[in-house]
Amino acid sequence: MAERRKDRKGRVLRDGESQRQNGTYMYRYTDVRGERKCVYAKTLEQLREKEQKIQQDLHDGINYAAGEITVIDLLHRYIATKTGVRYNTKVGYQFVLNLVSKEDFGYRMIRDVKPSDAKQWFIKLHEDGRGYSTITSVRGVLRPAFEMAVEDDIIRRNPFSFKITDVVPNDSQTRQAISKEVKERFLTFIRESKHYSQYYDEIAILLGTGMRVSELYGLTKADIDFEVRRIKVERQLTRTRHCEYYIEKPKTASGERYIPMTNEVYQAFQSVVQRRKQPKVEFLIDGHTSFLFLDKDGKPKVAMHLEHVMKRIVDRYNDTHEDQLPSITPHVLRHTFCTEMASSGIDLKSLQYLMGHSDVGVTLNVYTHASYETAQAAMKKAMGSG
């Protein structure tokens, strides 16, 4: 038996390892293209750390080529290709990863996953209490991940190409605009409340502009032009789970826009500016400062502030009134603005601009809700009757 090579300290060297004349170490290997490569390190320990990473990469590449990686591994591989995505998108990826990692399905080899397997798994998720929107989110990541494997010729077909509604019912609740009567009761209750009246202005602004709540809280003093009565919308303010603030552009390029102020919105902004307390230190977030809406600690507000407040307002109202209010969220206020504008007869392209939608189809199909009353009024107008 040939004697094993050793380094100067008497340690046995593995295949591909050698010690150079200057005392450093080298590892030679063959990459996936069949080409010889070398890596170097000052110590044997450091070299072997590099070896381990190289062998793992080679092993992963071989397994992926054979379709012998799990669904979870495929998700990791796919997500690694998605750079520069929004924070909320990253959160969504992590949510799907966490969910799949708790399921036996996540440990299936991708080469063995058939459409019937995927359908049966979705049925299981639904029976376990997962909602339609959650299953849609899961499919929204798994489908492109498997499509990547198809494009790489790893598998022949995508097992997630079916329609979800063919497998599980759409039991998600559609956001509904609130009626004028409900809106008036809601606003009156807030206006007359000693505790909740402090939130009246921002709720009135959302109802009068259709802005997303993250856009509202991204506004600074410089974005409000009282002279020409318009609002400049060009950013969203968000905060991570670790309480780190950051700025994002609106969802689409169309999200950057100017919104005219009605008299009520103008007065609400005047009130906000007058009541705004000067904080000890103005927050500087990605080059922006002097945010209009601050919490009790002088920090910029984020969406969850108003979401929690509005839930408490509705709960408090329903505890003290027989005529109950439906669930009202900041996004319901956006729906309501859009629906009211559409019912008033505004042209669709103008409404699309105000909402910051890239596609007029979103404005039509998602955010406007017809009712008997609006249909009746439209019919009377078309027929020329009063």
Side-chain angles (χ1 to χ4, degrees):
M1 179 181 292
E3 185 177 352
R4 299 297 301 272
R5 292 180 300 109
K6 299 180 180 179
D7 67 1
R8 295 172 188 173
K9 294 182 179 181
R11 293 174 295 187
V12 175
L13 297 175
R14 299 170 182 170
D15 290 342
E17 295 178 346
S18 62
Q19 188 171 24
R20 307 168 76 198
Q21 290 184 355
N22 62 3
T24 60
Y25 293 83
M26 178 179 72
Y27 174 65
R28 290 175 60 86
Y29 68 98
T30 302
D31 68 9
V32 292
R33 295 185 178 182
E35 298 178 357
R36 296 290 286 172
K37 301 285 186 180
C38 297
V39 293
Y40 305 91
K42 291 183 178 180
T43 67
L44 186 59
E45 290 77 15
Q46 292 173 347
L47 185 74
R48 287 180 174 173
E49 286 180 5
K50 292 184 179 182
E51 285 180 49
Q52 185 177 8
K53 179 68 169 57
I54 290 168
Q55 291 303 322
Q56 184 63 49
D57 289 344
L58 289 171
H59 188 261
D60 288 346
I62 293 170
N63 284 353
Y64 179 61
E68 294 181 352
I69 65 170
T70 65
V71 174
I72 294 173
D73 291 333
L74 178 65
L75 284 176
H76 280 291
R77 189 182 185 94
Y78 168 72
I79 292 171
T81 69
K82 312 304 288 184
T83 58
V85 297
R86 293 170 176 267
Y87 171 74
N88 287 341
T89 303
K90 293 179 181 178
V91 172
Y93 286 155
Q94 192 59 52
F95 169 78
V96 173
L97 275 173
N98 291 342
L99 186 151
V100 176
S101 66
K102 296 175 183 176
E103 297 285 327
D104 291 342
F105 182 83
Y107 299 90
R108 296 280 301 271
M109 294 296 170
I110 63 171
R111 68 179 182 184
D112 299 329
V113 177
K114 303 294 187 291
S116 59
D117 299 323
K119 292 176 181 179
Q120 287 295 328
W121 182 53
F122 277 180
I123 292 172
K124 174 191 177 297
L125 291 178
H126 186 261
E127 292 176 346
D128 288 347
R130 299 288 185 177
Y132 180 82
S133 60
T134 296
I135 296 174
T136 300
S137 298
V138 172
R139 180 178 179 269
V141 182
L142 280 170
R143 180 174 179 174
F146 272 88
E147 194 60 36
M148 178 186 73
V150 173
E151 292 173 354
D152 289 344
D153 293 325
I154 307 303
I155 55 177
R156 290 186 177 183
R157 62 177 297 185
N158 191 334
F160 286 92
S161 293
F162 57 86
K163 293 181 179 179
I164 299 181
T165 49
D166 291 342
V167 181
V168 296
N170 184 352
D171 54 6
S172 58
Q173 294 184 348
T174 304
R175 295 188 184 96
Q176 294 290 334
I178 56 177
S179 66
K180 291 184 178 179
E181 183 270 332
V182 169
K183 183 175 76 170
E184 187 54 40
R185 282 196 283 127
F186 179 60
L187 290 176
T188 299
F189 179 75
I190 298 171
R191 190 188 303 116
E192 296 177 353
S193 168
K194 291 182 179 179
H195 179 67
Y196 295 120
S197 58
Q198 61 182 305
Y199 303 103
Y200 180 86
D201 291 327
E202 47 210 277
I203 290 173
I205 290 170
L206 290 177
L207 275 168
T209 62
M211 280 190 289
R212 300 175 179 89
V213 64
S214 56
E215 293 174 339
L216 176 72
Y217 289 152
L219 294 176
T220 67
K221 291 180 180 179
D223 297 317
I224 311 302
D225 191 329
F226 286 109
E227 185 174 345
V228 297
R229 297 196 174 203
R230 73 179 186 183
I231 310 156
K232 183 179 182 180
V233 181
E234 64 175 4
R235 75 188 72 86
Q236 298 182 90
L237 179 62
T238 314
R239 195 171 65 189
T240 70
R241 293 177 179 177
H242 304 294
C243 295
E244 297 173 347
Y245 289 95
Y246 68 98
I247 296 290
E248 284 189 334
K249 289 289 187 181
K251 284 189 173 181
T252 67
S254 304
E256 296 187 27
R257 62 202 186 277
Y258 289 95
I259 300 178
M261 287 190 270
T262 62
N263 288 335
E264 184 172 7
V265 170
Y266 176 86
Q267 292 169 5
F269 270 115
Q270 289 275 20
S271 175
V272 169
V273 172
Q274 291 171 5
R275 290 189 296 106
R276 182 184 186 273
K277 295 180 179 179
Q278 185 63 34
K280 294 181 179 179
V281 178
E282 288 281 8
F283 268 65
L284 179 66
I285 306 172
D286 295 343
H288 302 280
T289 190
S290 298
F291 292 91
L292 277 177
F293 298 92
L294 307 177
D295 63 19
K296 58 183 177 58
D297 298 321
K299 299 177 181 179
K301 288 185 178 181
V302 291
M304 71 172 187
H305 284 100
L306 194 58
E307 290 168 357
H308 293 165
V309 165
M310 288 179 64
K311 184 180 186 307
R312 291 199 296 271
I313 292 173
V314 171
D315 289 344
R316 179 58 179 164
Y317 180 96
N318 290 339
D319 286 342
T320 56
H321 293 72
E322 292 185 2
D323 50 344
Q324 302 284 281
L325 289 175
S327 174
I328 304 177
T329 66
H331 215 73
V332 167
L333 303 184
R334 178 168 161 82
H335 276 256
T336 301
F337 169 83
C338 189
T339 300
E340 288 182 350
M341 288 294 101
S343 299
S344 71
I346 188 174
D347 68 277
L348 283 175
K349 294 302 291 184
S350 295
L351 182 53
Q352 177 190 358
Y353 172 81
L354 290 174
M355 298 300 293
H357 291 153
S358 59
D359 185 353
V360 73
V362 177
T363 313
L364 271 174
N365 298 326
V366 179
Y367 286 96
T368 58
H369 304 280
S371 64
Y372 171 76
E373 290 74 16
T374 56
Q376 181 186 45
M379 185 174 178
K380 284 183 177 181
K381 182 178 181 181
M383 299 296 290
S385 56

